[in-house]
Amino acid sequence: MKAPLVVILGPTASGKSSLAIRLARSFCGEIVNCDSVQVYRQLDIGSSKPTPQERGEIPHHLMDIVNPDEHFTAGEYLRRGREVLAEVRERRHLPIVVGGTGLYLRALLMGLFTGPRRSEELRDRMNQLAERKGTQHLHRILLRVDPVSATKISAQDKSKVIRALEVFFLTSKPISWHFGAGREPLRGFSLLKIGLNPPREMLYSAIDRRVEQMFAAGLVGEVRSILQQGYQAQLKALQSLGYSQVIRHLRGELSLDEALDLTQRETRRYAKRQLTWFRKEPDVLWLNGFGGEPSVQSAALARTRAFIESFRYLIQIPFIRQNAGSSV
């Protein structure tokens, strides 16, 4: 029989974590992170991780699991995420997946193609070719061997171009073929997806305030400390929003105000892309507001209670705390 699983999705700064913690408090929940930056240790301020107090009160999973220089993929997230979901289900608690990384969520719920492992030797050769002739040259090769993928991958996105070529050269099949084969969707769970959709201008204002708070809370010092430990600025983790702009500031390329303004602008653009991605997600209950608003929390609590109570076989399980959802 299936167990319940709640997913909270939406753009950055929409209050996903606040709502997740509220639901977890009410329904014996455990939170499963679905943010591609929060998986890294030491990247705390710039990724807006929950406070130590919140993490002490509610179990949080898949946070601080790799160092900034470790390679972490959607495939690895899929494997670890499904292991965590199975463990939470065994404890008869409610797993609550929360985050804004659409690719990770898609991997967790729908599966990924079983592609070949990375070939560092092949990647080195392609990177050298890109340095000599440009990423456009690699993209033209991809256009010949996998025109379907080439039309979907930007010629400027070197990492995706290289991965697509790597898959083709290692398997003799285009990555577009792999995407259509071998997916294994998540089984054993019934889903309730809750999406947060604040008014656009209010969301942008919230993003600007959050970025200001990050800088005021010591984001520059956090980045400086990470670099002083020997981590290289070009690491994927440090190319995340906020971190890459602060690195440019530390290099003297941007003033502090310019770094802050650029982080705000790029984060607003990222939020727009997140909404575009999540709008394609099926069967989402969209709530028009922020996750911390009483009206949104009340609606989410009521819908989650009804969702959980629909599992008749869970009636004897101490899933729902007393008076859950009666107040916010």
Side-chain angles (χ1 to χ4, degrees):
M1 292 182 288
K2 292 184 177 181
L5 167 62
V6 173
V7 175
I8 301 176
L9 54 86
T12 185
S14 61
K16 297 185 295 296
S17 295
S18 177
L19 180 57
I21 289 171
R22 183 68 178 89
L23 294 182
R25 286 172 177 159
S26 298
F27 302 113
C28 296
E30 299 188 28
I31 294 173
V32 182
N33 168 52
C34 191
D35 183 291
S36 62
V37 184
Q38 291 185 355
V39 300
Y40 291 103
R41 302 183 185 101
Q42 302 190 57
L43 276 67
D44 301 328
I45 298 173
S47 67
S48 298
K49 287 177 184 171
T51 66
Q53 292 76 16
E54 290 169 334
R55 295 174 67 176
E57 177 190 1
I58 303 295
H60 283 68
H61 304 278
L62 301 183
M63 284 185 186
D64 297 336
I65 56 175
V66 290
N67 292 323
D69 60 348
E70 291 183 73
H71 190 68
F72 193 82
T73 66
E76 182 66 11
Y77 177 81
L78 181 159
R79 183 183 68 79
R80 294 201 188 192
R82 291 189 177 180
E83 289 176 353
V84 168
L85 292 181
E87 293 167 1
V88 176
R89 181 177 56 192
E90 285 297 313
R91 288 191 286 272
R92 295 186 175 184
H93 287 178
L94 176 67
I96 304 172
V97 175
V98 55
T101 303
L103 179 60
Y104 279 19
L105 181 61
R106 179 177 294 176
L108 182 69
L109 302 182
M110 301 304 298
L112 292 173
F113 78 94
T114 53
R117 291 182 176 273
R118 289 163 55 98
S119 169
E120 298 302 335
E121 179 183 357
L122 181 56
R123 283 172 174 259
D124 287 343
R125 296 208 312 260
M126 287 191 285
N127 274 307
Q128 292 170 13
L129 185 59
E131 290 178 6
R132 294 198 311 271
K133 298 187 176 182
T135 306
Q136 290 277 359
H137 179 74
L138 292 181
H139 193 266
R140 287 194 291 271
I141 297 174
L142 181 62
L143 188 61
R144 291 199 299 270
V145 301
D146 186 0
V148 174
S149 296
T151 60
K152 298 179 180 179
I153 299 175
S154 169
Q156 306 304 318
D157 195 336
K158 186 172 74 169
S159 63
K160 289 185 180 178
V161 171
I162 287 179
R163 177 55 177 166
L165 288 172
E166 176 184 46
V167 170
F168 176 80
F169 291 134
L170 292 177
T171 68
S172 299
K173 293 183 183 293
I175 196 172
S176 55
W177 180 90
H178 288 280
F179 277 132
R183 287 178 181 265
E184 181 65 31
L186 179 67
R187 303 187 188 281
F189 291 91
S190 181
L191 273 64
L192 169 62
K193 301 177 188 176
I194 300 174
L196 297 177
N197 183 35
R200 190 64 58 92
E201 291 306 315
M202 294 179 66
L203 174 64
Y204 289 166
S205 295
I207 287 171
D208 288 347
R209 290 194 301 272
R210 171 181 278 190
V211 172
E212 291 171 358
Q213 292 165 0
M214 287 176 179
F215 276 74
L219 179 59
V220 174
E222 180 173 276
V223 176
R224 184 183 288 114
S225 174
I226 293 171
L227 295 175
Q228 287 174 346
Q229 295 174 55
Y231 291 110
Q232 299 300 308
Q234 65 268 25
L235 289 171
K236 179 181 177 181
L238 296 180
Q239 294 305 304
S240 305
L241 284 169
Y243 293 96
S244 62
Q245 288 79 17
V246 168
I247 287 172
R248 292 184 62 188
H249 163 64
L250 294 175
R251 287 173 170 170
E253 299 173 10
L254 298 172
S255 69
L256 185 60
D257 286 342
E258 289 171 335
L260 188 151
D261 289 343
L262 183 58
T263 302
Q264 290 175 325
R265 185 164 66 250
E266 292 301 321
T267 306
R268 292 195 298 269
R269 290 174 177 170
Y270 175 58
K272 185 177 180 180
R273 294 195 301 272
Q274 286 178 300
L275 281 168
T276 299
W277 177 289
F278 287 131
R279 285 297 183 191
K280 300 175 184 177
E281 189 72 26
D283 303 320
V284 176
L285 171 66
W286 287 101
L287 301 178
N288 294 321
F290 291 91
E293 293 177 359
S295 60
V296 171
Q297 292 198 352
S298 293
L301 284 163
R303 184 64 185 86
T304 302
R305 171 184 280 277
F307 171 65
I308 292 175
E309 289 180 342
S310 68
F311 292 85
R312 298 298 181 100
Y313 73 99
L314 289 175
I315 288 176
Q316 300 302 318
I317 297 176
F319 228 97
I320 304 174
R321 293 176 180 158
Q322 291 296 317
N323 301 318
S326 61
S327 63
V328 177

